[in-house]
């Protein structure tokens, strides 16, 4: 099935309207009200829950290796997690993961 240019633009416009309404429901309708303490406590962990969901497929099933896990990416993930736990710093964790990834790719090929 081929998509016409008008159908693609219709999908893009629909997604834009849906995104706007979703964000407006939180910012526009509830922006002046205070959230309950339990909701604020749960929202604090949103990034902690989302980031592993975004990164895990890139580590376990990378497209660069045809979907097979490789030692370089597993080493980089372990270095990033270990550094993050040890330093409690996102920047040091990213740096350690990047250094371990490039070192692992040079070592393992």
């Amino acid at each position: 099935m081929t998509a016409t240019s008008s159908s693609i633009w219709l999908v893009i416009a629909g997604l834009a309207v849906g995104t706007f309404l979703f964000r407006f429901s939180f910012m526009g309708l509830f922006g002046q009200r205070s959230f309950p303490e339990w909701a604020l406590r749960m929202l604090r962990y949103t990034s902690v829950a989302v980031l592993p969901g975004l990164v895990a497929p890139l580590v376990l099933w990378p497209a660069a290796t045809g979907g097979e896990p490789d030692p370089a990416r597993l080493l980089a993930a372990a270095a990033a997690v270990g550094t993050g736990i040890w330093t409690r710093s996102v920047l040091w964790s990213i740096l350690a993961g990047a250094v371990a990834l490039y070192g692992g790719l040079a070592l393992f090929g």
Side-chain angles (χ1 to χ4, degrees), residues 3-104:
T4 63
S5 117
S6 61
S7 66
I8 291 173
W9 282 108
L10 184 63
V11 168
I12 291 172
L15 289 172
V17 168
T19 300
F20 172 78
L21 291 175
F22 182 72
R23 291 180 182 201
F24 180 75
S25 69
F26 283 101
M27 291 184 238
L29 298 177
F30 299 115
Q32 302 301 321
R33 300 180 188 148
S34 61
F35 279 101
E37 183 60 36
W38 62 268
L40 292 174
R41 190 172 51 248
M42 287 185 199
L43 286 173
R44 208 172 22 217
Y45 298 108
T46 302
S47 61
V48 176
V50 170
L51 274 173
L54 294 173
V55 174
L58 299 174
V59 172
L60 298 176
W61 304 285
T65 62
E68 294 294 323
D70 66 334
R73 284 168 179 78
L74 294 173
L75 176 69
V81 168
T83 304
I85 291 171
W86 181 47
T87 64
R88 299 271 194 220
S89 171
V90 174
L91 294 177
W92 283 114
S93 180
I94 291 170
L95 182 65
V99 168
L101 177 64
Y102 288 118

